[in-house]
Amino acid sequence: MLMRITLDNQPEFFTNLDIISGQVILHLNRLEQIGGIVVKLEGESNTSLAAPSPFENGRDNRDGYSTSNAAMNSESHKILYKVQQVFPDEYHSSTNNPFGSYPLQPGQHQFPFKFKVPINNACSDSHAMASLANQSLTGAGMFGSRGIRLMDGTKQLYLKHVTKTLPPSLSGVYNDAEIRYYIKVTVQRPGLLKENWRFQLGFKFMPIEPPRSEPRGQESFARRPFSFAARPPSPQGKQKGSLFGIKKKEKGDAESPETPAPPQSVELSARLPHPLVLTCNRPVPLRLIAKKLVNNPQQVYLTSFQMDLIGTTTLSAHGQVLRKNNRWVIASNPQLEIPLITPTAEVGAEIVVPDEVWSQKPLPNTVAPSFTTCNISRRYEVQILATLRLGKKGGKTIPESITLPLHFANVEVYSGIKPPRELVEAATNGGFSQSELRPNLPPRQSVSGPSGSGNAPPLPQRRPSGQAPPPAEEYEDAPPSYSEAMAESASMPFDQNNPRPPFSGVTAENAPSQLPPQKN
């Protein structure tokens, strides 16, 4: 037996509203009885955090204590779950088989499947998760039709959820958290001592970005004024005398002491477009501006520049929270000599620092977009370190220098995948609320008459003994949410005019999980 999954025109990564289609190829060496073949599109967000040790504060230093066997707090969220049964098809279902299994002849068999990736996570839909508790697909058991059971969605009802866009793939970075997407195939083989065949194929995922607001020319800034230390006037030495005495002052020499200039002061400001949004695989749209604050002809030079992107990943599992930081160096140059002021300019004059240092440096391809899911979130900050020097170097005295930090907090990083136009228009105009989609309850019959009058409502008629109860009323499935309805009708985000950008993030989609085995 050989089983594999092939995808049609597989790109580097998938995104929301993409069509994932392919075939399950099953090669059999002999005749096999197959009860059913099910293809699942799944996504998981898993965290597994070690419980805090009671001796971390150093109050108990017992020899031999180890936290390796400590309990693990594990939390798993099914952020994506779609099921499609590809076998038995209409031809095999038309045959009446009392055992509920269908024979497949030796050779190669292909079973096509097709999914459309939704926009939001699935675990936050309590109705959909609860409906999976006792749901099964048509299949065969050991001696008859038992059905293929699906995921027990009731476990998701005990966890806290948020309704957000599906997060990007994240694996191979931390040993206690991962976000995986994969396609899983299950071939049911009814009978004693026969195990089901399973195969799994992972893929990369990067979400579409939220609708951006129209540029209004506003900027967010981080500024830092600074004054260099005031230099004392150079001490005047004794007047040199002649060979036979002190030289007399000439009549033209006038005593006019010069007024010392104020200490050199500058203001360095970094500016980014508002709102603070960066794009994966694109340079940072930074503007660096220096402003002259006092009337001092001394020149100030920018001698070093470094811009870092700081990512904070928050992991949570059953109330326990753990934060991890990552740092990416976007641009760095420690050998600069850029003048920042014009000596003859007036106070308040500004100079825009040339952006050749960072304008051609895109974000690293390991930076994932900002996201928030039920148990994992990622946010970013930008930190700039600029070193300024007063005067030229190479003189008898060492010039004064200072490093100014400039910080931007709460910076969003978007994937660069623009959503379809219909989704942008729906988000701008506003959609239906969830309350508008709820079915109306039947009207209640009011009981007339004053309270305490004894006019009680009539009791329901009793069913005679031996009579079978009436069949329960079948209710239709709840209507889809507005986002689900829009996702089914929206077009794919990529076409000839809008090509697919490169993937940005860190993931090993088909590598084994690095989480501890205590995962739920």
Side-chain angles (χ1 to χ4, degrees):
M1 187 277 301
L2 178 64
M3 182 170 55
R4 59 190 176 94
I5 299 175
T6 60
L7 300 179
D8 300 335
N9 301 322
Q10 182 179 3
E12 183 183 5
F13 67 91
F14 289 99
T15 186
N16 306 97
L17 307 179
D18 265 343
I19 300 295
I20 302 180
S21 60
Q23 296 83 28
V24 177
I25 300 178
L26 182 62
H27 185 80
L28 299 178
N29 299 327
R30 60 184 180 181
L31 179 67
E32 291 284 351
Q33 295 288 336
I34 304 299
I37 300 178
V38 175
V39 183
K40 300 178 183 179
L41 178 66
E42 298 189 35
E44 294 180 346
S45 176
N46 302 318
T47 54
S48 184
L49 307 181
S53 171
F55 314 123
E56 287 183 353
N57 296 330
R59 288 177 290 182
D60 193 336
N61 299 325
R62 294 186 231 178
D63 295 335
Y65 180 81
S66 174
T67 59
S68 59
N69 298 326
M72 304 295 294
N73 291 329
S74 301
E75 188 170 317
S76 178
H77 291 259
K78 280 288 183 180
I79 55 180
L80 177 61
Y81 193 79
K82 285 196 170 186
V83 182
Q84 182 180 355
Q85 185 171 0
V86 297
F87 183 83
D89 51 13
E90 296 180 359
Y91 173 77
H92 292 83
S93 299
S94 61
T95 60
N96 187 10
N97 192 335
F99 299 102
S101 60
Y102 309 91
L104 285 182
Q105 299 297 328
Q108 181 172 307
H109 304 268
Q110 294 185 2
F111 306 95
F113 62 89
K114 184 178 180 181
F115 295 101
K116 189 168 186 178
V117 183
I119 298 178
N120 296 333
N121 56 322
C123 58
S124 61
D125 190 350
S126 59
H127 299 284
M129 292 293 104
S131 63
L132 293 174
N134 298 318
Q135 187 177 354
S136 62
L137 298 178
T138 304
M142 184 169 54
F143 298 105
S145 177
R146 182 181 60 183
I148 302 176
R149 295 189 62 84
L150 302 180
M151 177 192 71
D152 186 7
T154 57
K155 295 181 179 180
Q156 300 292 316
L157 303 179
Y158 297 97
L159 304 176
K160 294 182 180 180
H161 303 282
V162 294
T163 304
K164 295 289 184 178
T165 306
L166 289 173
S169 300
L170 180 68
S171 60
V173 182
Y174 309 114
N175 296 329
D176 42 19
E178 65 178 10
I179 299 176
R180 288 180 176 269
Y181 295 90
Y182 52 88
I183 301 172
K184 184 165 61 176
V185 179
T186 302
V187 178
Q188 187 190 30
R189 304 171 62 214
L192 290 173
L193 304 178
K194 287 188 176 180
E195 295 183 354
N196 294 338
W197 295 334
R198 291 179 174 85
F199 186 80
Q200 180 175 315
L201 177 65
F203 62 89
K204 298 178 182 178
F205 179 83
M206 192 163 68
I208 60 176
E209 64 182 25
R212 301 197 185 198
S213 58
E214 295 294 333
R216 292 172 289 183
Q218 299 178 351
E219 290 183 323
S220 300
F221 60 88
R223 62 180 57 171
R224 183 66 64 96
F226 178 77
S227 297
F228 289 91
R231 293 187 177 181
S234 58
Q236 298 180 358
K238 298 182 180 180
Q239 296 180 353
K240 296 182 180 180
S242 61
L243 182 60
F244 301 99
I246 300 175
K247 184 179 178 181
K248 297 182 179 179
K249 294 182 181 180
E250 298 182 357
K251 296 182 178 180
D253 297 340
E255 297 180 359
S256 56
E258 297 181 358
T259 304
Q264 183 62 281
S265 300
V266 294
E267 180 185 83
L268 193 65
S269 62
R271 303 184 184 183
L272 291 174
H274 180 78
L276 293 173
V277 175
L278 305 182
T279 307
C280 292
N281 298 306
R282 294 183 185 178
V284 179
L286 173 69
R287 291 205 313 146
L288 199 61
I289 299 176
K291 182 179 180 181
K292 186 178 181 180
L293 298 181
V294 295
N295 189 10
N296 191 321
Q298 287 183 295
Q299 184 60 267
V300 179
Y301 295 90
L302 175 65
T303 60
S304 177
F305 176 86
Q306 180 173 328
M307 178 168 54
D308 297 342
L309 183 67
I310 304 173
T312 302
T313 306
T314 304
L315 315 177
S316 62
H318 300 289
Q320 184 180 354
V321 178
L322 178 64
R323 291 179 175 86
K324 296 192 173 184
N325 295 329
N326 298 88
R327 183 181 293 266
W328 294 267
V329 179
I330 308 302
S332 178
N333 192 340
Q335 298 178 354
L336 297 176
E337 197 74 14
I338 302 176
L340 297 183
I341 65 172
T342 303
T344 59
E346 298 180 355
V347 177
E350 295 181 346
I351 290 182
V352 179
V353 180
D355 59 354
E356 287 83 3
V357 179
W358 62 85
S359 61
Q360 304 299 327
K361 302 292 183 64
L363 295 183
N365 58 0
T366 56
V367 176
S370 305
F371 67 91
T372 299
T373 187
C374 303
N375 54 345
I376 306 176
S377 64
R378 171 74 69 84
R379 63 179 182 87
Y380 291 97
E381 303 174 5
V382 174
Q383 185 180 44
I384 299 173
L385 299 177
T387 303
L388 309 183
R389 190 189 69 232
L390 179 62
K392 295 183 177 181
K393 62 180 179 179
K396 295 181 179 180
T397 59
I398 300 177
E400 183 182 359
S401 62
I402 183 66
T403 300
L404 300 180
L406 303 173
H407 190 80
F408 290 94
N410 300 326
V411 177
E412 295 286 338
V413 176
Y414 284 179
S415 63
I417 305 175
K418 297 181 180 180
R421 182 180 302 175
E422 51 265 31
L423 286 182
V424 177
E425 294 177 354
T428 304
N429 301 330
F432 297 102
S433 61
Q434 195 70 15
S435 60
E436 296 178 0
L437 296 177
R438 294 174 182 171
N440 296 327
L441 296 176
R444 296 183 179 180
Q445 297 180 359
S446 61
V447 180
S448 59
S451 59
S453 59
N455 296 330
L459 297 176
Q461 297 181 357
R462 295 185 177 181
R463 184 174 63 251
S465 60
Q467 185 177 355
E473 183 180 359
E474 295 183 357
Y475 294 93
E476 297 180 354
D477 294 338
S481 63
Y482 183 74
S483 60
E484 293 175 349
M486 289 299 301
E488 292 297 331
S489 60
S491 59
M492 297 179 62
F494 302 112
D495 52 19
Q496 297 179 355
N497 299 326
N498 185 23
R500 193 182 299 262
F503 179 78
S504 184
V506 177
T507 182
E509 60 273 16
N510 289 310
S513 175
Q514 297 182 356
L515 295 182
Q518 291 85 355
K519 184 181 67 173
N520 291 338

